[in-house]
Amino acid sequence: MNAHQQYKTRFEKDLAKCGVELNDVEQGDLIIAAVSGGMDSMLLAHALKITGAKFEVAHVNFKLRGEDSEGDAESVKKWCLENDVVCHVKHLPADEEAKQRGDGIQDAARRLRYAWFEELRAERGAAAIAVAHHLNDQAETLLIQLLRSVDPTALGGMAIRNGNIIRPFLDWKSEEIKDWVALDEVTYRDDKSNAELKYMRNRIRHEVLPLLESIRSGTVEHLAEWTVRLKKQGEAVESSMKEAASDIISYSDMLYNDLKSEDSNEICRVNIIAMNKNLWGERVVDRMLAQRVWSKGAREEALKLCNASVGAEVCYGEDSVLRERDSLILRRKVEEKLKTESESNSCLVEGDIGCVEGLVWAVEPGRGLVKIPSRRDVLWMDSRSFDGPLMWRCWRNGDKLYPSGMDGSVNVSDILTQWKIPNHLRGKAHVLVNRHGQLLWVYSEGEHECHSRISRLVTLTGLVDTLILKARL
């Protein structure tokens, strides 16, 4: 078997690895071949042609290199015309995209062309999009990812097939591609921008990889092999992290589906104990915050909350992370204005019957001595044990209660702590206050039950009219 036939046979096998059927031109899977006009992509088109694949060519003209860009487009169209291949050419404004998105031209161009390739694939009913990435591209990508300090699970590089993208040359060295191009006399155009060292990939291609090869021959293959190993390890790590995340992070729509969205700004909560016990604990939380576009520094500060006191908070963007007793709460930031309005909200309790926000009341005739009922959401008291109207309001810092059955006073903040009321619910706790500013009742709702405590100023004899108040926060 001559060299030409060896290359052709090898390419057919690699197409099969990509999941492409090569029955015949009429029955085989349609492929959209991404062809720029350069060496690698022109060999891809040539290889598809001589192996009898059913394919069409897609070329993007970004018009970034003046006459050279037009020359590339004309060269691709000419080849397609001579070989009776359908050719699709489209101009995409990579420069405008880069300005709008604030990234580099190359990133913008890559994003635009792949979006158009997929659009064209769906329109033509093609099975896959073939691109000409090879072994050296794989090694370059690994080094770029390392330099960018990406998530370790993303170091696996490119796959021979990823969704609708296939890479039949991925196991080929650039030298082998050059040999086949020379052997079959494949025409192509040199992209001068590939030699410009202002691009990271070009510097790695022309400076770093040759240096590494001079230090140790075969480095390119070794780096490419590492991407395969790292991909498998990354998949194992990803599976382990997903399992860890399910134990560590609980999202509000699962835990608190009985709460209305307007009643809580909570997004999720992190179980600190579970996080500390798990090997991937901090990594899971860090990734969750990264997905919400938290900066690295802000994520580090949020993780420090695990050793902070209850109530400590870190804010970033539209989010905040709040330390609770055994958890971190990720929530949407509550506007300070809304907090202030809530804290200053107060309603008068007067008359024999009525209701205000969070409270209803009524006065019943006295019926003799009675026992104080055990319902936590209801307060019974002699209506003549206080002078003037009562006030129902949100609790405030500094509020104190003189609890029934106890000497001295207790801060309401300490009462809420004893009840283990989460921070996101503390603002809803209410107090009943007499005209002298003395607290008669503290009421709060936790996640699973309500809590209340009365003052020793409250009396209930039943000998006089009884005031019955029911909280409904």
Side-chain angles (χ1 to χ4, degrees), residues 364-372 380-384 459-467:
E364 290 188 353
R367 299 192 179 101
L369 291 173
V370 295
K371 290 184 179 180
I372 298 177
W380 283 264
M381 62 184 297
D382 290 336
S383 62
R384 297 180 187 175
T459 60
L460 178 61
T461 64
L463 298 175
V464 296
D465 294 344
T466 301
L467 174 64

Side-chain angles (χ1 to χ4, degrees), residues 151 283-296 298-299 316 319 330:
D151 189 314
R283 190 72 193 90
V284 163
V285 178
D286 181 80
R287 174 185 286 190
M288 181 266 292
L289 293 175
Q291 289 171 345
R292 295 191 63 81
V293 203
W294 279 54
S295 69
K296 183 179 179 181
R299 300 198 303 267
Y316 187 82
D319 296 342
L330 174 65

Side-chain angles (χ1 to χ4, degrees), residues 287-328:
R287 174 185 286 190
M288 181 266 292
L289 293 175
Q291 289 171 345
R292 295 191 63 81
V293 203
W294 279 54
S295 69
K296 183 179 179 181
R299 300 198 303 267
E300 291 174 349
E301 290 301 312
L303 286 169
K304 290 179 182 178
L305 290 176
C306 294
N307 299 316
S309 58
V310 173
E313 186 175 20
V314 172
C315 299
Y316 187 82
E318 298 180 354
D319 296 342
S320 75
V321 174
L322 185 69
R323 171 64 198 264
E324 288 289 0
R325 280 182 170 272
D326 299 318
S327 60
L328 301 179

Side-chain angles (χ1 to χ4, degrees), residues 354-356 358-362 468-472:
C355 66
V356 294
L359 185 74
V360 295
W361 71 87
I468 305 174
L469 306 101
K470 184 179 188 305
R472 52 173 191 178

